[in-house]
Amino acid sequence: MNFKAMKKLITSLAFSILAFAAMAQEFGLQHTQRGNFVIGSRIGFSTSKSSIDIQSNAGSVNGDGGSSSQFNLSPGIGYFFARHFVMGISMDWLRTSSRSGVDLSGGTDPAQESENNNILFGPFIRYFIPFGEDKAFFLGTTVGFGDSKNRFIDGNQAQTIDNSLLSIGAGPGLTIFSSNGLALEALAKYNFARSISEINIQDIQRTSKTWTNAVDFSVGLHYYFGGIRATNDARLAPTETKKPGFY
């Protein structure tokens, strides 16, 4: 499946969840009630395509920025400020391996390889749509800000670049809750990112702007709790039994 097809699939899933929300029966899911908290982390993999624009006193270069693959780890914590709505802050640690489509020196040399370590911090918001006693779809969006250091090889010389980053992501997901507040989740997300870099290559200073479109698939484990108690401590009625879920 190519990049455009994956982007269309994520968009279709998001609209399907919205349509489901309009028709869905309301369930009394305790985990996503107002006043609860959630803490956890996700691990994921993504592929991306980018375009690049380099400006310098020696001229300009623009065009295909190449492709990359990315590993990410994303811990975060959130608070349910309204029923089924959670807002919080998260960190994204990203490890990227890429091949550029434009010669950064302005010539016609073969594509250059690079390895990036990025750390982003920013807010996130999600809306959960329960469809059972222990399951819910959700739609979420994230915004991340940060800096990164990139390393690439220019001929036989290694170069290090400092970048400023902005990332915006959105997509649908699925959460399955257990009776003790733990939950497994899967997320498919479309990310748009922009980076601005100052690069010195062969004693020529260049400003590089890169726009990246990425599709990210991740899984995670989260813990939902109210105050200092697990959400399961919103006690079941004496005649009520525990609902199915993973344990």
Side-chain angles (χ1 to χ4, degrees):
M1 184 180 293
N2 59 34
F3 181 83
K4 288 184 178 180
M6 289 189 290
K7 181 179 174 181
K8 288 180 180 179
L9 176 60
I10 290 176
T11 303
S12 298
L13 287 173
F15 279 109
S16 297
I17 290 175
L18 286 174
F20 178 84
M23 300 181 294
Q25 175 186 353
E26 182 61 47
F27 290 92
L29 188 63
Q30 293 297 321
H31 305 76
T32 59
Q33 299 302 306
R34 183 177 181 271
N36 287 344
F37 291 85
V38 57
I39 187 170
S41 184
R42 301 189 321 273
I43 186 171
F45 177 81
S46 66
T47 59
S48 66
K49 296 283 291 182
S50 62
S51 59
I52 190 168
D53 180 18
I54 303 173
Q55 302 292 331
S56 73
N57 54 13
S60 63
V61 180
N62 58 72
D64 180 17
S67 60
S68 65
S69 58
Q70 187 177 80
F71 169 82
N72 62 79
L73 181 65
S74 305
I77 184 170
Y79 172 74
F80 284 87
F81 64 93
R83 190 181 190 189
H84 304 328
F85 281 94
V86 62
M87 178 179 288
I89 188 167
S90 63
M91 182 196 82
D92 286 313
W93 178 81
L94 313 172
R95 174 69 174 178
T96 305
S97 298
S98 61
R99 288 178 60 85
S100 66
V102 169
D103 180 5
L104 295 177
S105 65
T108 57
D109 291 342
Q112 297 163 320
E113 296 183 355
S114 65
E115 294 182 350
N116 309 333
N117 287 300
N118 305 329
I119 296 180
L120 303 176
F121 291 91
F124 71 87
I125 188 169
R126 284 183 179 180
Y127 173 55
F128 287 83
I129 306 162
F131 65 96
E133 297 297 331
D134 63 346
K135 294 179 285 293
F137 290 121
F138 64 82
L139 294 173
T141 185
T142 61
V143 179
F145 306 89
D147 298 313
S148 74
K149 289 186 179 293
N150 301 346
R151 182 177 180 274
F152 73 94
I153 305 298
D154 175 32
N156 294 322
Q157 184 179 7
Q159 299 283 349
T160 300
I161 311 169
D162 290 323
N163 299 319
S164 61
L165 303 169
L166 167 66
S167 175
I168 300 173
L174 171 68
T175 299
I176 303 175
F177 300 92
S178 72
S179 60
N180 61 7
L182 288 175
L184 291 173
E185 75 170 38
L187 171 65
K189 188 172 64 168
Y190 169 74
N191 290 308
F192 169 80
R194 185 201 66 187
S195 66
I196 301 176
S197 311
E198 295 291 334
I199 314 169
N200 188 303
I201 302 176
Q202 299 173 358
D203 296 324
I204 298 176
Q205 190 70 23
R206 294 173 170 84
T207 299
S208 171
K209 295 182 180 180
T210 303
W211 295 266
T212 302
N213 296 282
V215 174
D216 172 33
F217 297 96
S218 61
V219 294
L221 181 65
H222 288 74
Y223 179 58
Y224 292 74
F225 59 98
I228 61 173
R229 300 177 304 163
T231 57
N232 188 50
D233 285 349
R235 299 295 184 183
L236 299 172
T239 58
E240 190 174 359
T241 58
K242 290 184 178 181
K243 302 298 187 293
F246 73 88
Y247 296 88

